[in-house]
Amino acid sequence: MATKVEQTTNEVLHFIGNFNSKEKNRLNTEFKRKLLRRQSTVRDLKWNVQCSDFALKTHNPIRAIVDGMKIAPNPDKRMIALSIGDPTTFGNLQPANEILNAMKQVIDEKNFNGYAPSVGFIEAREAVAEYSAHQGKIKEISGKDVILCSGCSCSLDLCIAAIANEGQNILIPKPGFSIYKTLAEGFGIECRSYNLIPERGWEIDLDHLEELVDENTAAIIVTNPSNPCGSVFTESHTLDIIEIAERHFLPIIADEIYEHFVFPGNEYHSFASLSKNVPVLSCGGLTKRFLVPGWRLGWIIVHDRHGALQDIRKGLMNLSARILGPNSLVQGALPAILKNTPQKFYDELVETLQNHANIAYQLLKEVRGLSPIMPKGAMYMMVEIDMINFPDINDELDFVQKLVCEQSVFCLPGKCFGIDNFMRIVLTVPKEMIIEACERINEFCETHYKPVKNGFEIEDIPIDYIDINGD
């Protein structure tokens, strides 16, 4: 039986047969050409499976940089990765028994094997509200103000998607966590980076922040305590940031996943606890403090002011339906986890991180060509590299690549966070590994360090030209 295409073709050829020979040949050739082109187009349409613009615009800057690096560790030395922001990697930091027991009980009871509401079980949301009561000095937090998500990165994703449209921009820190760009650029949202000042403990350059604001700015993202810097903002600096946001009627998305990772001697202030008029979306989760990043449980706390976030709240609830809520088992265990985990567990974890930070700082500040900046919290340290005194190394990317090849120590280059001439180390590795890594970094720097003065390597300058006073 002839197909519809074959029938149409035969009818056209029969129609052409009524013309004279010359005209018939012309029409026949033209028809066949069009038929072949049509068949080719059909084939192309059938197999031309195109990727969405959203997917093509989405990328992870860290992955793009690291995947392009030529990393071949020294086979004679064990690899020490000071690059991984997962506190569970080396097994030296373990969750409290109360956390594990809460999960075991939920699994045994078999009451949370089904779907949860997309915004989370109300009992779990109320537990987060109670746990985060310190953020609600202006307005009491209730479970209705909490939306549970699949990790803190999902919380940030929902906030950015709810608060900005294509063509708008958001302000993000530099150096800062690369996930903000990953989440925003797929939506066609521009990321404008405001500077952090290393000489001032990574405080925000407030003048630069305000210069970036225009009529298309939708929100300010602030990370406090900071990844990658380990900074903790003072109360006065936090108020200065809030003042700028209020002046321009900009909501704040507060990435506060490290809010409890604050070293003794420093005081943490959440943005919501200080803001009287600026609405705040606070993002947090279990990931870091409870040492269970793979459990993927994060949250958004909506700190509304004057009803400014009424539509945003509705939008967040709509967007949460895209993943139908986070893991139901972890939600079921959440009230017990937040209530029963002992303060001693938290204190010992922070004490360990501060101890590791002190060790790394003391060792690295003696290394020629490096200037570590002592963190006040979180689990990272930024180390400045005096590149001019490493003339055989191109930049910090080349620095970390050669460090791996020669010493099998891997640190993330500053380019991963939008800043040059720095590298980031993590502080969650075992103490002995931090010491060994710092010793190897020192050995590497001694091999490559060649002090430069007035554009010349000092060893190349005749001794008569060197002022003994260092001038």
Side-chain angles (χ1 to χ4, degrees):
M1 184 176 179
T3 65
K4 188 171 183 179
V5 172
E6 289 172 337
Q7 289 176 351
T8 303
T9 301
N10 291 334
E11 290 171 1
V12 172
L13 290 174
H14 177 73
F15 173 75
I16 291 174
N18 295 326
F19 291 86
N20 61 44
S21 179
K22 184 177 180 180
E23 188 69 13
K24 183 190 302 182
N25 289 337
R26 186 186 69 79
L27 290 172
N28 193 39
T29 301
E30 184 176 346
F31 170 71
K32 287 181 178 178
R33 187 185 299 118
K34 288 183 177 180
L35 182 62
L36 288 172
R37 188 159 58 243
R38 174 60 180 165
Q39 289 173 339
S40 175
T41 302
V42 170
R43 283 197 301 271
D44 290 343
L45 286 175
K46 184 176 180 181
W47 295 110
N48 187 18
V49 182
Q50 297 185 357
C51 186
S52 70
D53 290 341
F54 176 82
L56 292 175
K57 290 178 182 176
T58 301
H59 73 287
N60 186 324
I62 291 182
R63 284 263 55 88
I65 293 170
V66 172
D67 290 347
M69 293 174 63
K70 299 176 181 178
I71 299 176
N74 185 334
D76 297 326
K77 297 185 177 184
R78 66 168 178 166
M79 184 70 171
I80 301 179
L82 299 181
S83 57
I84 306 172
D86 181 345
T88 70
T89 299
F90 294 93
N92 56 311
L93 301 176
Q94 295 290 335
N97 288 332
E98 289 80 1
I99 299 171
L100 301 176
N101 290 336
M103 275 295 288
K104 291 175 183 176
Q105 183 175 348
V106 165
I107 293 172
D108 289 340
E109 291 176 350
K110 304 176 184 177
N111 292 327
F112 292 92
N113 292 330
Y115 289 122
S118 62
V119 293
F121 289 117
I122 187 60
E123 296 84 0
R125 295 163 66 194
E126 288 173 345
V128 172
E130 182 178 351
Y131 170 77
S132 303
H134 62 281
Q135 292 191 0
K137 293 181 180 179
I138 303 299
K139 174 183 178 295
E140 184 180 353
I141 304 169
S142 73
K144 294 181 180 179
D145 298 311
V146 177
I147 295 174
L148 300 184
C149 307
S150 183
C152 190
S153 58
C154 178
S155 305
L156 292 163
D157 185 22
L158 297 191
C159 288
I160 292 171
I163 216 161
N165 287 305
E166 181 177 2
Q168 290 189 290
N169 64 75
I170 57 175
L171 310 185
I172 65 174
K174 175 186 177 182
F177 190 25
S178 65
I179 194 71
Y180 308 135
K181 282 192 173 183
T182 301
L183 299 175
E185 291 180 346
F187 292 113
I189 300 167
E190 178 190 0
C191 290
R192 297 184 176 181
S193 300
Y194 57 82
N195 294 328
L196 306 183
I197 307 172
E199 300 82 19
R200 293 175 56 180
W202 300 109
E203 285 189 346
I204 294 175
D205 183 337
L206 298 173
D207 291 335
H208 186 228
L209 173 68
E210 195 156 18
E211 287 172 6
L212 297 175
V213 177
D214 65 13
E215 66 276 6
N216 291 319
T217 303
I220 302 173
I221 293 184
V222 186
T223 319
N224 184 44
S226 167
N227 172 14
C229 304
S231 56
V232 178
F233 294 151
T234 63
E235 180 179 10
S236 61
H237 188 60
T238 303
L239 287 169
D240 288 340
I241 299 165
I242 291 172
E243 182 182 351
I244 292 175
E246 183 171 356
R247 189 155 57 242
H248 296 278
F249 299 96
L250 291 174
I252 290 175
I253 299 174
D255 184 350
E256 298 176 321
I257 188 66
Y258 296 102
E259 65 172 323
H260 297 286
F261 280 30
V262 178
F263 299 159
N266 301 283
E267 189 174 359
Y268 168 77
H269 301 275
S270 71
F271 277 85
S273 69
L274 297 179
S275 172
K276 296 180 179 179
N277 297 308
V278 175
V280 178
L281 297 174
S282 175
C283 299
L286 291 182
T287 301
K288 309 295 185 180
R289 192 186 193 198
F290 296 86
L291 302 178
V292 287
W295 288 14
R296 310 309 299 143
L297 197 291
W299 53 73
I300 303 166
I301 303 175
V302 181
H303 298 278
D304 202 355
R305 301 289 183 264
H306 312 297
L309 295 182
Q310 185 174 350
D311 287 343
I312 297 299
R313 188 190 298 264
K314 185 185 302 181
L316 289 170
M317 291 182 175
N318 292 344
L319 289 169
S320 69
R322 289 168 57 88
I323 61 166
L324 298 178
N327 188 296
S328 60
L329 293 174
V330 184
Q331 289 189 58
L334 191 58
I337 291 173
L338 298 180
K339 182 178 180 180
N340 298 335
T341 302
Q343 186 64 41
K344 181 182 178 182
F345 167 77
Y346 304 136
D347 293 342
E348 289 178 351
L349 177 57
V350 171
E351 182 182 352
T352 296
L353 294 174
Q354 184 182 37
N355 183 37
H356 289 187
N358 286 329
I359 291 171
Y361 178 77
Q362 294 300 327
L363 291 174
L364 292 178
K365 77 174 185 176
E366 302 300 326
V367 177
R368 294 199 296 172
L370 299 185
S371 299
I373 299 177
M374 182 64 187
K376 297 178 180 178
M379 48 186 239
Y380 310 100
M381 178 186 292
M382 291 291 278
V383 181
E384 186 172 12
I385 307 169
D386 187 7
M387 293 304 309
I388 195 172
N389 290 317
F390 295 98
D392 63 337
I393 298 177
N394 298 325
D395 54 20
E396 88 277 357
L397 187 59
D398 191 30
F399 185 99
V400 299
Q401 287 183 136
K402 289 178 177 175
L403 179 59
V404 173
C405 294
E406 296 178 27
Q407 296 293 338
S408 294
V409 175
F410 185 27
C411 308
L412 282 184
K415 279 185 174 59
C416 290
F417 309 100
I419 190 171
D420 295 330
N421 302 329
F422 278 88
M423 63 181 181
R424 188 199 75 173
I425 66 173
V426 299
L427 304 170
T428 55
V429 302
K431 176 181 176 180
E432 63 275 11
M433 291 183 71
I434 286 185
I435 295 173
E436 183 179 351
C438 290
E439 290 173 347
R440 291 197 211 168
I441 291 172
N442 180 53
E443 183 179 340
F444 174 83
C445 289
E446 285 300 304
T447 299
H448 295 274
Y449 184 83
K450 292 181 175 59
V452 172
K453 184 172 183 178
N454 297 328
F456 297 95
E457 293 179 18
I458 287 186
E459 62 186 35
D460 295 335
I461 302 175
I463 190 67
D464 295 342
Y465 285 83
I466 302 179
D467 189 324
I468 61 173
N469 294 318
D471 300 324

